Amino acid sequence: MKYLYMPIIRWTLLLAMLLAAFAAAAQSVEVRGNVRNPAGEPLIGATVTIRGATRGVLTDGEGRFTIQTGPLDTLAVSYFGYLSQRVPVMGRTSVEVVLEEAPSNLDEVVIVGYGVQRKSDLTGSVSSVKAEELNRIPTASVEQALQGKVAGVQVTPVSGAPGAGAIIRIRGVGTLNDASPLFVVDGLLLNDISFLNVQDIQSVEVLKDASATAIYGSRGANGVIIITTRQGVQGPKTSFEASAYYGMQQVIRKIDLLNGSEFAELANELAANENRPPIFSNPASYGEGTDWQDEIFGLAPIQNYQVSAGGGNALTTYHLSANYFHQEGIVTGSDFDRLTLRLNNAYTLAPRVKVGHNLAFIYRTNRNVPGGVVANAYRASPTVPAIDSAGRYGQTTRVASVANPVAEVAFYDDNSEGYRAVGNLFADVELLKGLTFRTNLGLDLSFNQGKVFVPKFEVSDIQRNVEDRLSVNTDRNFNWLWENTLSWQREWAAHRVGLLGGITAQENTFEFLGGSRIGFPDNTPLFYYLSAGQETSQTNYNLGESWSMVSYLFRANYTLLNRYLLTASFRADGSSKFGPSNRYGYFPSVALGWNIAEEAFMQPLVFVSRLKLRGSWGVIGNEKIGAYRSQAIVTPNLNAVFGPQEFLNFGASIINLANPNIRWEQTAQTNIGLELGLLDDRFLAEIDWYNRLTQGILVDLPIPDYIGAANRPVVNAAEVLNQGVDLNLIWRETRGKWSYVLRLNGSTVHNEVVSLGEGNEEIFGGGIGEGGKLGTRTTVGLPIGAFFGYQVEGVFQNQSDLETYPKRGNEVPGDLRFADIDNDGVITTADRTFIGSPIPDLVYGGGVELSFAGIDLAVDLNGVYGNELINAKQIARFGTYNFESSFLERWTGEGTSNAEPRITNGGPNYEVSERFIEDGSFTRLRSVVLGYTLPQAWSDAVKLRRVRLYVNGNNLFTWARYSGYTPEITTGSVLDVGIDRGVYPVARTLLGGIDVSF
């Protein structure tokens, strides 16, 4: 029976298909149109596709196009450098499309490791920063210019000293060792980018998750920052640009210290508390006294000058620039100069052969002040003049052992200079259509020299130098990287495939040499050479290290129907830093993405221009552990006198035990992200949740003292977890002459030590004050470098309190009362506990950009929330130093204060405790720039293409509760962050500038 119905079924189906095809053909319409920019110029080669389908066309030489579509379809129009636009057909046969310029070309194409990728195809967490955003910050440091620009990235200046850099942490701290990210500049892998001129940068990409960073394998665990410098572009003639700015810097705020009479009064009170006679007979006579902060801080100029030229033709493109940056320090006697020359060229030798180079040559000089100058200005007695009426430096040691900071600067001559050449040579050969071979040779050569000369002088018994002294040091570093990659790109029908494979090799060699002598015939720079000193006083020292690495890498990208995305990568790294049995590390990653907005069911939602869901997992490593951590370290010159003749015997000893079994620190990271664009991408939102677990962190293993090694062996033992959310929001709009952009980014961080390994219950750090008190404790369940001390419950008011509450044993009324954590009835070191963390819960930034009729305004903010700081300046007291104004609220008798204890110079009141913990949260007005671009007719009149004038204010206001100079306190050690021992303050800057192109 079934055979009887089969012909009927076949003919019925065939008829239905014919009717459907006829209906579709009847509804198909031909749409003609053109695509232009706001100036009315045609956009040649713009892409016009039917949303949700794979077919499309390109606009011709006049910006026109013709496409077959349905009356209810939506056209998707895009062009590199412009905002994409969705155009509903709605039965029309003719459309006019005007594309607005995108704020960043990188909205369409993103630079990733060893290549570029469409933003729509990206499966990793990658953030891009425009060069214009970086140029708003007048600094020699690219790191500082990145502050507040990227979600998930915390940037903290090392100090406000001229030319100082910054510490960058991407998605928390994942190691007890070096947690700095990897920098990739024009393909060269670097740990230091202090040579970079901000104005030479074309783009910055921050790679945050494993999908994006795993291609860098052993160096991707702390994140990767890819920097591309400016390149030449083809044009009818050479384009010239010149820019300059000049401004002044000043300290943002001074610390509220006591004046002369207030200090004298409290010094006498302190003497009475210690049963000593008064120090000052008439405190009121000192009045305001000496403001030591005014003595060392002052207005300081900052200036920058840049000229560049770029252009090219079908065979050659070129970009060359010269930059001079000069910054004097707000602490008198410090400054920084840097001269940068850059030459980036590319040459087409044959239709499929392209070679080129990106070269930079840098010369810089530094003049430094002694590291303790700021701290001594904080501590010095205001009753002593900087220079007395006889022209002699005031003896600040008369009250306490504090050097006169003005004399320190005058008698300290510390100068250094450095030369550096950084660049790469590359060749691209297209072997077949879509198949390209690239070889890249990167070189980084630096040479630095420093001289410190201190003449013979005497200010006081403890501030003097009995002999002229000169120290000289030099170092050189040579780093080369050779990479060879083969990439294949293919697109057909609904498929897009990209494959990458390669092999790389790198070697780094460093050597340091130094020496010193005393006794020089004169203290002029003519004699700043070791040979001019006494020969018998000579000392010298020399050290060095080298390491090498070979790597194999692979990556595959696949896109189906512009909707379904797959990225997989793998890298194997072999390093000389590890023993033969663990020399190689293997780092895989995989990521999936779904462009939901391209699905057919999303087409009615025309206001949704972008919707992508992506997820990734991967393993990445950290090889920043030192070159010889797996080997035994022998230290020479451990000499001793022994034997009947008492001869000096030269000897050596092992100070580090070997552990050839140490392996790579590895971080497994999971990332889930969502991207949303509304109203033709006027509103963009990107949110990522991440989970980073670092295992096998290298830590020192406790060993018995009888083994005889000075340092403990290193093992893979610790684990650290970082979790959080990154959020990035953008709203941008253009209406006629008006345009504006609103930006907001934020990231949360939960940092927790999961394990420290057997025998490592805790790691102490953060030495503070008298006796080297330790302020941080890293232990399981707490953040890295957590603050460790006593909880404060108030002040002992009377003898009854002393008899009622637990105490250490020597307290008197007016001293701090600590919490008895272990409830044993007495205060001991066992009662110290967690009292704060330097790692913020939230890092955020944002900004506003406005432009109207040639006027532009840009405002940037940044800040952190939820971290604490230790005001260690107050803890470190070796004498009667000056006091902060909060000490005026001290305890002077029962009931007068339950927060600020009586005046003392030591004892329980200066233990590391909550008394010295302060809120580290802040919001800073990072930058305000107001500019005006002259009308084109005015520029044409003077034969210029563009002229822009602007004024710029940086670090204008900081909203913070912290009482110190700046709430941004850091060091290179993750165990020593947030401890303010007297940091060089960050400066407020006001400047004016001009940009000219012709």
Side-chain angles (χ1 to χ4, degrees):
M1 197 68 170
K2 64 180 180 180
Y3 297 106
L4 179 65
Y5 290 106
M6 286 300 295
I8 300 175
I9 294 173
R10 289 195 188 99
W11 283 107
T12 302
L13 289 174
L14 179 60
L15 180 61
M17 293 172 62
L18 290 172
L19 289 173
F22 176 78
Q27 292 182 3
S28 178
V29 296
E30 182 180 81
V31 177
R32 297 176 180 271
N34 60 67
V35 182
R36 302 184 181 279
N37 64 17
E41 299 168 339
L43 296 180
I44 303 168
T47 301
V48 182
T49 61
I50 298 173
R51 195 167 183 218
T54 59
R55 66 183 185 277
V57 296
L58 299 177
T59 58
D60 61 17
E62 296 182 0
R64 297 175 301 192
F65 69 90
T66 301
I67 189 170
Q68 293 289 331
T69 182
L72 300 180
D73 284 341
T74 297
L75 300 181
V77 185
S78 61
Y79 189 74
F80 182 76
Y82 288 78
L83 294 174
S84 299
Q85 192 173 136
R86 303 292 185 261
V87 182
V89 175
M90 300 177 64
R92 293 178 294 176
T93 59
S94 176
V95 295
E96 298 283 334
V97 182
V98 178
L99 296 185
E100 301 287 347
E101 287 191 42
S104 171
N105 290 342
L106 301 174
D107 289 338
E108 299 296 335
V109 176
V110 176
I111 297 175
V112 295
Y114 301 95
V116 298
Q117 203 170 357
R118 297 186 188 188
K119 176 69 174 175
S120 60
D121 289 351
L122 195 63
T123 56
S125 181
V126 179
S127 296
S128 300
V129 182
K130 297 187 301 182
E132 292 82 357
E133 294 181 67
L134 301 178
N135 288 330
R136 293 202 286 264
I137 308 299
T139 176
S141 166
V142 175
E143 301 101 309
Q144 288 199 26
L146 281 170
Q147 191 174 41
K149 305 296 185 185
V150 181
V153 178
Q154 181 184 6
V155 180
T156 308
V158 174
S159 81
I167 299 295
I168 296 180
R169 298 288 181 254
I170 298 178
R171 291 185 167 179
V173 179
T175 179
L176 302 177
N177 299 293
D178 188 347
S180 301
L182 172 70
F183 298 98
V184 182
V185 181
D186 293 327
L188 181 59
L189 279 56
L190 301 167
N191 294 325
D192 169 39
I193 57 170
S194 60
F195 70 93
L196 262 181
N197 166 35
V198 175
Q199 291 179 289
D200 281 337
I201 293 177
Q202 177 173 297
S203 67
V204 175
E205 273 75 33
V206 181
L207 282 53
K208 295 179 287 187
D209 74 329
S211 172
T213 63
I215 197 67
Y216 292 105
S218 65
R219 286 171 280 196
N222 301 320
V224 179
I225 298 178
I226 300 178
I227 299 173
T228 303
T229 58
R230 297 177 64 185
Q231 307 294 311
V233 295
Q234 296 184 30
K237 61 180 181 178
T238 300
S239 174
F240 294 92
E241 296 179 354
S243 63
Y245 65 72
Y246 182 92
M248 300 299 293
Q249 310 161 93
Q250 64 176 169
V251 65
I252 296 177
R253 64 181 301 271
K254 297 193 306 180
I255 296 175
D256 193 5
L257 299 171
L258 301 187
N259 63 25
S261 59
E262 292 169 336
F263 171 78
E265 179 183 346
L266 264 65
N268 283 349
E269 184 178 316
L270 187 152
N273 289 338
E274 295 179 350
N275 298 315
R276 294 187 289 112
I279 300 173
F280 300 98
S281 58
N282 185 11
S285 66
Y286 290 97
E288 290 298 317
T290 302
D291 188 327
W292 288 101
Q293 296 177 95
D294 285 346
E295 294 293 336
I296 68 165
F297 295 137
L299 291 175
I302 182 172
Q303 52 193 306
N304 183 81
Y305 307 95
Q306 168 109 355
V307 293
S308 62
N313 52 39
L315 297 179
T316 303
T317 59
Y318 55 89
H319 181 86
L320 55 97
S321 66
N323 176 270
Y324 173 69
F325 178 87
H326 173 75
Q327 180 183 14
E328 293 188 21
I330 57 174
V331 176
T332 305
S334 56
D335 61 38
F336 173 81
D337 286 270
R338 187 179 67 196
L339 176 65
T340 304
L341 302 176
R342 176 168 288 279
L343 181 61
N344 292 354
N345 287 15
Y347 314 92
T348 301
L349 304 183
R352 294 186 176 184
V353 179
K354 182 179 180 180
V355 300
H357 55 75
N358 302 285
L359 305 175
F361 305 93
I362 304 94
Y363 173 72
R364 60 99 193 143
T365 63
N366 285 79
R367 188 161 56 105
N368 307 305
V369 294
V373 165
V374 175
N376 286 337
Y378 171 86
R379 297 186 176 109
S381 168
T383 63
V384 179
I387 300 176
D388 62 23
S389 57
R392 296 170 301 192
Y393 291 104
Q395 294 192 22
T396 50
T397 57
R398 184 158 52 91
V399 179
S401 56
V402 178
N404 183 321
V406 175
E408 276 190 288
V409 172
F411 291 122
Y412 188 81
D413 193 352
D414 180 356
N415 293 276
S416 64
E417 63 178 352
Y419 304 85
R420 192 168 179 181
V422 184
N424 69 310
L425 309 173
F426 66 87
D428 293 330
V429 181
E430 188 177 7
L431 304 176
L432 299 171
K433 185 177 180 180
L435 182 64
T436 303
F437 169 75
R438 180 181 178 91
T439 184
N440 180 70
L441 177 63
L443 300 172
D444 179 10
L445 176 63
S446 64
F447 175 82
N448 301 286
Q449 177 176 277
K451 289 186 177 183
V452 179
F453 184 83
V454 182
K456 183 167 55 177
F457 71 90
E458 182 170 357
V459 175
S460 63
D461 289 342
I462 68 167
Q463 188 179 2
R464 61 177 182 168
N465 187 44
V466 296
E467 291 280 1
D468 297 331
R469 172 167 47 87
L470 174 68
S471 298
V472 178
N473 64 78
T474 64
D475 68 73
R476 63 177 180 84
N477 192 85
F478 180 56
N479 178 27
W480 63 262
L481 170 69
W482 189 23
E483 299 179 317
N484 294 279
T485 58
L486 196 62
S487 61
W488 180 66
Q489 304 288 332
R490 177 75 186 276
E491 186 172 352
W492 72 97
H495 309 277
R496 188 159 53 246
V497 176
L499 300 177
L500 171 76
I503 180 172
T504 77
Q506 186 172 13
E507 183 175 81
N508 190 91
T509 302
F510 170 81
E511 185 172 0
F512 180 87
L513 175 67
S516 65
R517 282 191 182 184
I518 62 174
F520 289 78
D522 201 324
N523 59 5
T524 66
L526 292 174
F527 291 93
Y528 286 7
Y529 298 94
L530 292 178
S531 60
Q534 295 177 4
E535 185 176 345
T536 56
S537 68
Q538 179 168 307
T539 63
N540 56 71
Y541 35 90
N542 184 212
L543 56 88
E545 69 172 32
S546 65
W547 56 266
S548 58
M549 180 178 291
V550 62
S551 307
Y552 306 90
L553 57 96
F554 172 79
R555 181 176 61 212
N557 296 308
Y558 175 65
T559 301
L560 175 64
L561 296 170
N562 288 325
R563 305 170 200 169
Y564 312 113
L565 316 171
L566 169 66
T567 300
S569 68
F570 179 81
R571 180 162 178 146
D573 285 325
S575 173
S576 64
K577 296 181 180 181
F578 300 91
S581 59
N582 291 295
R583 184 144 291 168
Y584 278 87
Y586 305 96
F587 309 98
S589 78
V590 63
L592 298 174
W594 180 22
N595 278 320
I596 306 173
E598 298 298 328
E599 295 288 356
F601 62 80
M602 291 292 297
Q603 303 316 301
L605 303 177
V606 294
F607 62 91
V608 179
S609 50
R610 180 186 305 183
L611 183 60
K612 183 202 290 186
L613 179 66
R614 48 182 169 75
S616 68
W617 173 89
V619 177
I620 38 187
N622 178 28
E623 54 80 46
K624 296 180 179 179
I625 62 167
Y628 307 114
R629 297 292 293 272
S630 66
Q631 304 175 30
I633 305 298
V634 178
T635 294
N637 293 323
L638 298 177
N639 309 323
V641 176
F642 59 88
Q645 304 300 321
E646 295 188 348
F647 289 130
L648 177 65
N649 291 269
F650 294 91
S653 178
I654 294 177
I655 61 169
N656 273 16
L657 296 179
N659 181 6
N661 295 318
I662 64 172
R663 62 185 188 278
W664 302 88
E665 295 184 358
Q666 293 191 340
T667 297
Q669 183 171 183
T670 301
N671 189 95
I672 299 175
L674 180 68
E675 298 176 17
L676 173 66
L678 302 177
L679 304 174
D680 292 329
D681 283 357
R682 287 181 177 84
F683 174 74
L684 292 172
E686 188 169 349
I687 184 169
D688 285 85
W689 172 84
Y690 65 89
N691 184 92
R692 298 175 59 206
L693 179 63
T694 305
Q695 298 177 305
I697 298 174
L698 293 169
V699 295
D700 298 337
L701 178 70
I703 56 174
D705 291 339
Y706 62 75
I707 292 181
N711 299 315
R712 302 188 295 187
V714 177
V715 298
N716 296 94
E719 296 183 14
V720 172
L721 174 68
N722 285 276
Q723 287 180 332
V725 174
D726 296 343
L727 176 66
N728 192 58
L729 303 175
I730 299 176
W731 175 270
R732 51 195 177 192
E733 187 77 46
T734 299
R735 294 294 177 89
K737 295 182 179 181
W738 277 97
S739 68
Y740 65 90
V741 180
L742 306 177
R743 303 177 186 275
L744 178 67
N745 69 73
S747 55
T748 65
V749 180
H750 169 75
N751 178 270
E752 180 182 343
V753 178
V754 178
S755 171
L756 288 177
E758 185 178 354
N760 268 324
E761 291 80 12
E762 54 196 10
I763 298 174
F764 291 98
I768 302 171
E770 184 180 1
K773 300 170 184 174
L774 298 174
T776 70
R777 176 175 177 254
T778 299
T779 191
V780 173
L782 293 179
I784 292 176
F787 297 143
F788 181 62
Y790 296 97
Q791 290 182 356
V792 176
E793 293 189 335
V795 174
F796 288 107
Q797 299 293 328
N798 48 44
Q799 188 62 35
S800 176
D801 282 354
L802 290 171
E803 295 172 355
T804 303
Y805 298 107
K807 57 184 181 298
R808 292 167 59 94
N810 57 353
E811 291 92 333
V812 300
D815 286 337
L816 289 178
R817 181 162 60 87
F818 298 139
D820 183 14
I821 299 298
D822 61 4
N823 295 313
D824 65 353
V826 64
I827 302 300
T828 66
T829 55
D831 293 306
R832 293 178 296 172
T833 186
F834 171 68
I835 56 175
S837 171
I839 299 177
D841 299 321
L842 174 67
V843 180
Y844 56 90
V848 179
E849 299 174 26
L850 302 171
S851 65
F852 173 73
I855 300 173
D856 61 271
L857 173 67
V859 180
D860 289 324
L861 295 159
N862 76 284
V864 302
Y865 173 79
N867 63 305
E868 287 79 34
L869 304 172
I870 296 182
N871 192 344
K873 304 186 302 297
Q874 291 185 347
I875 299 177
R877 297 189 70 88
F878 300 96
T880 308
Y881 301 154
N882 200 1
F883 303 93
E884 295 190 23
S885 60
S886 60
F887 282 66
L888 293 174
E889 307 299 322
R890 68 204 179 279
W891 184 94
T892 55
E894 185 173 348
T896 55
S897 175
N898 198 39
E900 193 66 42
R902 68 191 181 102
I903 294 296
T904 62
N905 267 344
N909 298 334
Y910 289 94
E911 293 290 342
V912 179
S913 71
E914 288 179 323
R915 179 191 180 193
F916 304 105
I917 296 294
E918 298 190 40
D919 188 351
S921 305
F922 73 91
T923 298
R924 174 167 287 163
L925 184 55
R926 185 72 171 101
S927 173
V928 177
V929 183
L930 178 62
Y932 177 64
T933 301
L934 299 184
Q936 193 61 51
W938 296 10
S939 299
D940 292 341
V942 290
K943 308 299 182 183
L944 297 175
R945 189 171 72 249
R946 179 175 178 268
V947 179
R948 176 175 175 268
L949 306 172
Y950 65 91
V951 291
N952 188 337
N954 280 266
N955 300 327
L956 293 178
F957 299 102
T958 302
W959 293 271
R961 295 181 180 179
Y962 182 57
S963 63
Y965 292 117
T966 174
E968 297 179 289
I969 310 294
T970 191
T971 67
S973 170
V974 299
L975 305 178
D976 197 36
V977 176
I979 301 176
D980 184 2
R981 302 177 178 90
V983 65
Y984 192 123
V986 174
R988 175 187 292 120
T989 305
L990 295 173
L991 58 85
I994 182 172
D995 296 330
V996 176
S997 58
F998 52 95

